[in-house]
């Protein structure tokens, strides 16, 4: 069943149709919340609240990208939660030492060596730590663009900011992340470390 | 000067970084991209910056997706009965708030000119004019002593007995004035009460002044009147006929400047002095006069109540609107 008919059924109060949408988007929403909040429990709470709020307000959804609408709800909830906990901001030990099983097929593949697995985990921890140090608006932009791979246009729809703001925030976020990751030095596995070798310009990522 | 250089350099660096970031995402126009690539060929520092940013983005994009701790589907046992909201409370409350505020402003603007001066000055006059018949109907016996007093201190506006240009004595409705005339100053009391000065009739009434001044008969005085102990009783007919004269005399006797309402003075030497009301007077005796509606024919002024009600309504709606907005209703 396509998304638009599921949305229409959900608007009429069909919870099963809405749960189909939940199943489709819960990984995206949870990962956005997890990268924003930096710890699992808060991310799970924010994700659940996102779907509850989306269900209660689905009649206010007036077309367009349902994913962007959903992620906008999640973004606002994360901002609210971050503001609430700003004074007691601390890096969760759980977030630092969690082993993200099933996150990537490569992580659970029997072929991956324990050393490689450990390195990946260290890298994920370092990145999350650097993300946590960004201001919330820059963090959100970096997560949407570089972690989840959304285009500028999608980010403008999700965050309701202008294209220029997206570019500006993303540029500053990347610069800060670069500095942070460089400062970690030995904490990052050798093959992932940033170095300033001046290769030929490679242009774009794609 | 140096700050200008520094700022310019910083902003230039930020612009370069922004351009490099957009280059990485393929978000530059072709001409911008060609220009930046040309600069990268020549500028090693810029090239190093570009390379570092590129590695950073690659690292971020290699971040694995976090596994779900559980499913986030909504429990049918809890949410099957919860229908998606169809009411848009926030827009409705917002519109209602605006309407209530406008109503409040209209009422306030409409009452300001009429509610301040003329009406406030006119109301006591009408009260005074209507008091005599009312007292006559009730057949209240007014006891008059050599002195009379105000029962309790009251605000200045309510104590104004009569302004210089007034036709009658202005006394507020709720005011309790006790008039009592001692036997030895009967004539004075009659004058005060409004009977013609030359009249020596024992039945001449003291009603107009006391009634016009919201007179309360004290029980001891009433008892004295019943026993014929020099007290003068008032009849309805007498009260009606003597009203005008009493008002005139009372105006002469008790007229004070409007602004000096605290004191009802100066009083003529022959005029009874003000004294505090006897606090020993049983309240039961005062109850009938205190309880009766003071102005049965005067229209009630609803404007302050309407102002207050609409103001409170607007405030409540504003609170509800803010709550609805915050809760996402």
């Amino acid at each position: 069943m396509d998304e638009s008919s599921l949305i229409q059924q959900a608007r009429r109060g069909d919870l099963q149709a809405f749960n189909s949408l939940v199943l489709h988007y819960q990984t995206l929403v949870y990962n956005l919340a997890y990268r924003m909040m930096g710890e699992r429990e808060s991310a799970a709470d924010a994700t659940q609240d996102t779907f509850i709020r989306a269900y209660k307000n689905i009649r206010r959804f007036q077309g367009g990208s349902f994913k962007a609408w959903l992620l906008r709800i999640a973004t606002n909830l994360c901002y609210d939660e971050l503001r609430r906990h700003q004074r007691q901001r601390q890096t969760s030990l759980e977030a630092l030492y969690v082993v993200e099983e099933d996150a990537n097929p490569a992580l659970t593949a029997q072929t991956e060596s324990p050393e490689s697995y450990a390195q990946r985990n260290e890298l994920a921890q370092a990145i999350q730590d650097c993300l946590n140090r960004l201001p919330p608006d820059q963090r959100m932009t970096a997560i949407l663009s570089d972690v989840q791979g959304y285009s500028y246009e999608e980010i403008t729809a999700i965050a309701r900011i202008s294209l220029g703001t997206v570019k500006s925030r993303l540029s500053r976020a990347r610069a800060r992340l670069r500095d942070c990751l460089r400062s970690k030095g030995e904490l990052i596995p050798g093959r992932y470390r940033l170095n300033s070798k001046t290769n030929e310009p490679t242009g774009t990522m794609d | 000067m140096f700050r200008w250089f520094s700022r310019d350099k910083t902003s230039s660096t930020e612009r370069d970084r922004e351009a490099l970031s957009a280059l990485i995402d393929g978000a530059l126009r072709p001409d911008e991209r060609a220009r930046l690539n040309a600069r990268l060929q020549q500028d090693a520092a810029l090239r190093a910056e570009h390379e570092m940013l590129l590695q950073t983005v690659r690292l971020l994009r290699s971040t694995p997706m976090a596994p779900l701790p559980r499913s986030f589907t909504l429990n049918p046992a809890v949410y099957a009965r919860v229908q998606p909201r169809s009411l848009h409370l926030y827009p409705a409350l917002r519109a209602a708030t605006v309407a209530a505020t406008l109503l409040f402003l209209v009422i306030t603007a409409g009452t300001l000119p009429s509610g301040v001066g003329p009406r406030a000055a006119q109301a006591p006059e009408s009260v005074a004019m209507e008091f005599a018949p009312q007292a006559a109907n009730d057949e209240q016996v007014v006891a008059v002593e050599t002195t009379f007093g105000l029962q309790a201190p009251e605000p200045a506006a309510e104590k104004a007995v009569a302004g210089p240009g007034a036709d009658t004595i202005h006394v507020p409705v709720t005011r309790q004035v006790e008039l009592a005339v001692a036997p030895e100053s009967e004539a004075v009391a009659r004058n005060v009460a409004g009977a013609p000065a030359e009249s020596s009739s024992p039945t001449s009434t003291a009603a107009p002044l006391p009634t016009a001044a919201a007179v309360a008969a004290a029980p001891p005085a009433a008892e004295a009147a019943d026993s014929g102990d020099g007290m003068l009783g008032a009849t309805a007919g007498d009260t009606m006929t003597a009203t005008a004269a009493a008002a005139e005399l009372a105006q002469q006797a008790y007229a004070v400047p409007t602004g000096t309402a605290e004191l009802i003075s100066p009083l003529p030497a022959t005029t009874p002095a003000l004294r505090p009301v006897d606090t020993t007077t049983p309240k039961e005796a005062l109850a009938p006069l205190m309880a009766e509606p003071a102005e049965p024919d005067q229209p009630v002024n609803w404007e302050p109540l309407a102002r207050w009600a609409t103001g409170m309504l607007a405030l409540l709606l504003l609170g509800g609107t803010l709550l609805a907005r915050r809760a996402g209703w």
Side-chain angles (χ1 to χ4, degrees), chain B residues 56-113:
Chain B
T56 303
V57 174
R58 281 182 181 145
L59 274 181
L60 290 170
R61 291 189 180 173
S62 72
T63 307
M65 295 289 273
L68 290 177
R70 58 185 169 88
S71 172
F72 294 101
T73 52
L74 304 188
N75 185 358
V78 178
Y79 291 98
R81 285 171 293 179
V82 178
Q83 292 295 313
R85 291 188 185 115
S86 56
L87 285 178
H88 290 187
L89 272 182
Y90 173 63
L93 283 172
R94 189 176 53 186
T97 304
V98 171
T101 306
L102 287 175
L103 185 62
F104 172 72
L105 291 176
V106 166
I107 290 176
T108 304
T111 54
L112 270 180

Side-chain angles (χ1 to χ4, degrees), chain A residues 5-155:
Chain A
S5 51
L6 286 174
I7 292 170
Q8 287 305 319
Q9 290 178 26
R11 286 166 70 97
R12 289 193 291 269
D14 186 342
L15 186 60
Q16 194 175 355
F18 183 79
N19 277 337
S20 299
L21 293 167
V22 173
L23 289 173
H24 187 68
Y25 287 111
Q26 61 182 357
T27 304
L28 275 180
V29 173
Y30 174 75
N31 269 272
L32 173 67
Y34 175 61
R35 297 299 170 202
M36 277 297 290
M37 309 298 296
E39 54 127 4
R40 287 172 176 262
E41 289 204 3
S42 297
D45 290 345
T47 305
Q48 191 68 77
D49 288 347
T50 298
F51 288 118
I52 292 171
R53 186 173 287 190
Y55 179 64
K56 288 182 175 175
N57 293 283
I58 197 167
R59 288 185 180 171
R60 297 171 73 174
F61 172 64
Q62 299 172 341
S65 169
F66 184 73
K67 181 172 70 174
W69 183 70
L70 208 54
L71 291 178
R72 184 159 60 245
I73 294 174
T75 303
N76 291 334
L77 282 170
C78 288
Y79 279 146
D80 290 346
E81 194 64 23
L82 283 172
R83 271 194 290 269
R84 201 170 297 145
H85 292 103
Q86 200 168 17
R87 58 187 175 277
Q88 51 186 8
R89 185 73 186 157
Q90 55 187 10
T91 305
S92 165
L93 288 176
E94 182 196 16
L96 282 176
Y97 297 109
V98 66
V99 177
E100 299 189 347
E101 297 169 352
D102 303 325
N104 190 324
L107 288 179
T108 53
Q110 296 296 321
T111 56
E112 187 176 27
S113 67
E115 185 185 2
S116 174
Y117 176 79
Q119 285 182 353
R120 277 181 164 275
N121 199 31
E122 286 174 12
L123 175 65
Q125 292 162 11
I127 289 174
Q128 185 61 52
D129 187 38
C130 289
L131 282 171
N132 289 345
R133 297 182 186 190
L134 292 177
D137 54 349
Q138 292 180 20
R139 190 187 318 167
M140 180 63 69
T141 312
I143 291 168
L144 290 172
S145 171
D146 293 344
V147 178
Q148 300 206 333
Y150 291 112
S151 68
Y152 287 4
E153 287 71 24
E154 285 174 310
I155 296 172

